[in-house]
């Protein structure tokens, strides 16, 4: 008996959101999407019962813009387990270790059930160290509820249960949006988190907000013409970085929107309906920027392991295993940030303060900083290209799957025979190359935006994701409205 036969009774019984049997009206889709968004914000504002108020360190830290969720809330793990499970499934599928044919309906159910089971397991594995490794989510010393007094271990178990329930909820919220709403839940949650930080970064009245800089200029607290350290443009451009962050944010918006519009359009004509023509667009960012979530999540998991190892060494700053200090593995400062070793060099560049060594804000030597930048850039460019290829293949966007879709729709490429193999060869001229170039380009943009900083400290990856997902959401809404206005088009594109 193979693993499929053994696991089928479990995987086919995994709870799932039922797909709509027919067409879902556009207004109802918007209602479902808005309802899930409101529920998401509501859950991010529900604190963990039993947690020490205002205490604890965010284990995800700078990755929050990508992994969504909120520290100390029911949405503590965010979309991290979903993304991690997706990485594992893509690697296993890419290496053909699962033996599943996604064109087979039975194997599709097994694949989805396995991915869902893996998300639930990852939720538990992510929540365990957050609760039981000291300092991340410190519990209250004692808690009395209904006449029963909980000890610290019981409080931690209660917190773990809440986080686990929140992780499972976000899994099914994503499924509701994917089947009944517009876009995907993961994209929706990322947009929500990044937009909230952007707005806060703009309008925050106290020191740290963008408009606070202009307040200091108008009140004469900063001399605009001065480049002296600690004053003038030095403060606005380098020390605070808000002016550069604004330009970076606007530039990323413009570049992503422009890149989304750059495409190679392959002409199509209908084999039986004379005069019916169309175009198949191969965008520059063909795989979108969603593979960047996978790359950053992989980095987040590496840093996650480093933080856990550091906490297990007690008060010492150097990671120790089996009683031996290993400075090459990682040395951490009092804020819990790596300052040297493997975990320092593999940590992404988060802001200008991480690499501008000449300002005196960086403790590391220039050669250490350059190694860190090189590793981050290499990881993002190569990782972006690799995960873009995996994404295209697993989402049926590759040359073979695209050729079948065009063939099944009754279209053909003018001047070529109406044959799947012929169409596939034409697609192979464009899709693989554009996928790699687009994935690498997005990786470069993400590192560059992080190095210069962004408004609200949403990170370059978070900003790229938010802009690209919003643009794609706009396209999907426009398509849904067109389908709503012209019901015949739903039948033509198989949306009925």
């Amino acid at each position: 008996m193979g693993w499929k036969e053994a696991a089928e009774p479990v995987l086919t019984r995994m709870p799932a959101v039922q797909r709509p049997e027919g067409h879902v009206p556009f207004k109802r889709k918007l209602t479902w999407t808005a309802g899930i968004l409101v529920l998401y914000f509501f859950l991010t504002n529900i604190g963990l019962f039993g947690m020490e108020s205002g205490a604890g360190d965010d284990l995800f830290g700078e990755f929050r813009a990508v992994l969504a969720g909120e520290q100390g809330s029911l949405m503590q793990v965010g979309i991290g387990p979903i993304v991690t499970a997706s990485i594992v499934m893509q690697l296993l599928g890419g290496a053909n270790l699962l033996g599943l044919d996604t064109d087979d309906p039975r194997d599709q159910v097994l694949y989805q059930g396995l991915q869902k089971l893996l998300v639930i397991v990852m939720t538990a594995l992510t929540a365990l160290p957050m609760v039981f490794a000291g300092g991340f989510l410190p519990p209250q010393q004692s808690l009395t509820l209904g006449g029963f007094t909980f000890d610290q271990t019981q409080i931690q178990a209660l917190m773990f249960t809440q986080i686990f329930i929140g992780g499972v909820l976000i899994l099914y919220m994503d499924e509701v949006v994917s089947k009944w709403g517009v876009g995907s839940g993961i994209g929706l949650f990322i947009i929500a988190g990044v937009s909230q930080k952007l707005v806060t970064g703009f309008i925050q009245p106290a020191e740290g907000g963008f408009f606070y800089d202009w307040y200091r200029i108008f009140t004469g607290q900063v001399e605009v013409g001065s480049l002296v350290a600690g004053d003038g443009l030095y403060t606005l451009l380098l020390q605070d970085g808000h002016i550069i962050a604004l330009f970076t944010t606007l530039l990323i918006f413009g570049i992503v929107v422009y890149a989304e519009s750059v495409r190679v359009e392959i002409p199509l004509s209908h084999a039986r309906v004379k005069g019916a023509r169309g175009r198949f667009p191969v965008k520059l960012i063909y795989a979108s920027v969603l593979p960047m979530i996978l790359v950053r999540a992989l980095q987040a998991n590496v840093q996650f392991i480093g933080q856990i190892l550091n906490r297990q060494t007690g008060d010492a700053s150097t990671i120790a295993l089996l009683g031996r200090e290993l400075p090459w593995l990682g040395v951490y400062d009092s804020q819990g940030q790596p300052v040297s070793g493997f975990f320092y060099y593999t940590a992404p560049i988060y802001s200008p303060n991480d690499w501008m060594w000449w300002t005196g804000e960086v403790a590391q030597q220039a050669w250490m900083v350059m190694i860190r930048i090189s590793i981050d850039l290499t990881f993002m460019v190569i990782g972006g290209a690799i995960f873009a290829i995996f994404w295209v293949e697993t989402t049926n966007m590759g040359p073979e799957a695209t050729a079948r879709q065009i063939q099944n729709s009754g279209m053909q490429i003018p001047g070529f025979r109406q044959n799947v193999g012929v169409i596939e060869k034409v697609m192979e001229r464009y899709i693989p190359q554009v996928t790699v170039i687009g994935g690498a380009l997005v990786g470069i943009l993400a590192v560059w935006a992080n190095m210069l900083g962004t408004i609200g400290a949403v990170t370059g990856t978070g900003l790229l994701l938010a802009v690209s997902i919003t643009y794609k959401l706009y396209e999907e809404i426009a398509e849904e409205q067109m389908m709503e206005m012209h019901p015949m088009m739903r039948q033509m594109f198989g949306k009925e």
Side-chain angles (χ1 to χ4, degrees):
M1 179 184 290
W3 78 266
K4 291 195 291 185
E5 289 74 16
E8 187 171 5
V10 176
L11 299 183
T12 54
R13 287 177 173 81
M14 292 294 295
V17 176
Q18 186 178 2
R19 285 190 176 276
E21 294 180 359
H23 170 67
V24 181
F26 178 60
K27 288 185 179 179
R28 188 180 299 174
K29 285 189 174 184
L30 282 184
T31 302
W32 276 109
T33 305
I36 292 295
L37 183 60
V38 171
L39 178 61
Y40 170 77
F41 275 123
F42 177 73
L43 293 175
T44 56
N45 284 281
I46 297 180
L48 293 173
F49 184 69
M51 178 182 169
E52 191 70 37
S53 179
D57 299 323
D58 191 356
L59 196 57
F60 286 149
E62 302 290 342
F63 295 97
R64 273 294 174 198
V66 177
L67 300 180
E70 185 66 34
Q71 165 72 4
S73 73
L74 288 180
M75 298 286 101
Q76 172 70 28
V77 296
I79 62 173
I82 301 176
V83 175
T84 305
S86 181
I87 292 174
V88 174
M89 293 297 290
Q90 287 206 20
L91 292 176
L92 292 176
N96 199 25
L97 296 177
L98 296 175
L100 294 175
D101 181 9
T102 52
D103 292 329
D104 184 354
R106 173 177 171 267
D107 282 4
Q108 283 181 0
V109 173
L110 293 178
Y111 184 90
Q112 293 168 2
L114 181 60
Q115 186 170 24
K116 198 169 293 182
L117 179 62
L118 192 56
V119 171
I120 293 173
V121 172
M122 289 296 177
T123 301
L125 293 178
T126 305
L128 277 171
M130 286 183 172
V131 174
F132 294 100
F136 296 119
L137 295 172
Q140 297 177 13
Q141 295 300 317
S142 63
L143 180 65
T144 302
L145 181 65
F148 181 80
T149 301
F150 293 83
D151 60 27
Q152 203 165 66
T153 303
Q154 291 170 329
I155 295 173
Q156 288 177 316
L158 181 62
M159 291 167 57
F160 170 80
T161 303
Q162 295 173 74
I163 296 174
F164 181 77
I165 292 173
V168 174
L169 277 176
I170 204 169
L171 167 65
Y172 285 100
M173 287 161 62
D174 170 54
E175 195 172 355
V176 169
V177 175
S178 300
K179 293 180 178 178
W180 291 86
V182 181
S184 71
I186 289 178
L188 188 67
F189 305 145
I190 291 175
I191 293 174
V194 172
S195 300
Q196 189 177 31
K197 285 190 174 184
L198 280 175
V199 172
T200 303
F202 267 110
I203 67 176
Q204 187 177 359
E207 186 172 354
F210 170 75
F211 285 109
Y212 182 78
D213 287 342
W214 294 103
Y215 167 77
R216 288 191 294 169
I217 292 175
F218 291 136
T219 56
Q221 298 179 37
V222 172
E223 296 180 15
V224 177
S226 173
L227 286 174
V228 180
D231 196 6
L233 288 180
Y234 177 91
T235 302
L236 296 180
L237 294 177
L238 298 179
Q239 186 172 319
D240 291 342
H242 294 142
I243 305 298
I244 288 183
L246 173 66
F247 289 132
T248 304
T249 303
L250 294 177
L251 197 57
I252 287 293
F253 268 93
I255 290 175
V256 173
V257 172
Y258 174 75
E260 288 283 358
S261 64
V262 175
R263 63 191 69 187
V264 175
E265 294 188 334
I266 300 173
L268 299 174
S269 62
H270 203 282
R272 297 177 181 175
V273 182
K274 191 175 181 180
R277 296 183 177 276
R279 293 180 182 275
F280 181 83
V282 181
K283 295 183 178 181
L284 175 60
I285 309 181
Y286 183 68
S288 78
V289 298
L290 291 178
M292 281 295 107
I293 303 177
L294 306 178
V295 182
R296 283 304 192 197
L298 192 58
Q299 287 181 304
N301 285 324
V302 172
Q303 297 303 311
F304 181 40
I305 294 171
Q307 292 283 355
I308 294 172
L309 291 175
N310 178 50
R311 292 304 173 100
Q312 301 308 311
T313 59
D315 296 331
S317 60
T318 304
I319 288 178
L321 290 175
L322 302 176
R324 292 186 57 189
E325 289 192 347
L326 302 173
W328 62 268
L329 197 55
V331 178
Y332 286 74
D333 60 17
S334 57
Q335 282 76 42
Q337 297 299 317
V339 293
S340 68
F342 171 79
F343 289 110
Y344 167 76
Y345 292 117
T346 55
I349 298 293
Y350 301 119
S351 69
N353 292 333
D354 287 336
W355 66 278
M356 290 184 176
W357 62 87
W358 60 86
T359 64
E361 299 288 334
V362 180
Q364 290 76 18
Q365 298 181 35
W367 65 269
M368 297 177 66
V369 175
M370 294 306 297
I371 291 176
R372 181 180 174 184
I373 293 175
S374 301
I375 291 176
D376 190 22
L377 187 61
T378 302
F379 193 89
M380 289 296 287
V381 170
I382 297 178
I386 292 174
F387 277 113
I389 294 171
F390 279 148
W391 186 271
V392 165
E393 291 300 324
T394 55
T395 54
N396 292 325
M397 295 170 61
E400 183 181 353
T402 302
R404 285 200 306 267
Q405 292 168 12
I406 293 175
Q407 177 78 4
N408 293 337
S409 68
M411 305 294 282
Q412 67 180 47
I413 302 175
F416 294 87
R417 287 186 297 110
Q418 190 181 7
N419 180 276
V420 174
V422 173
I423 299 175
E424 183 181 348
K425 287 182 180 179
V426 175
M427 292 299 172
E428 285 176 347
R429 298 177 187 174
Y430 304 99
I431 291 179
Q433 294 85 342
V434 171
T435 299
V436 171
I437 293 172
L441 175 63
V442 171
I444 293 172
L445 286 175
V447 175
W448 169 68
N450 270 9
M451 291 179 68
L452 296 181
T454 53
I455 290 294
V458 297
T459 73
T461 311
L463 186 60
L464 279 168
L465 287 169
V467 177
S468 180
I469 293 170
T470 303
Y471 187 89
K472 191 168 290 291
L473 192 61
Y474 163 77
E475 290 185 328
E476 288 187 24
I477 290 175
E479 181 183 336
E480 287 286 345
Q481 287 180 320
M482 186 180 298
M483 298 286 185
E484 199 77 10
M485 293 173 62
H486 305 284
M488 289 295 293
M489 294 188 67
R490 292 202 300 270
Q491 298 178 3
M492 184 181 299
F493 289 98
K495 301 285 186 178
E496 193 64 71

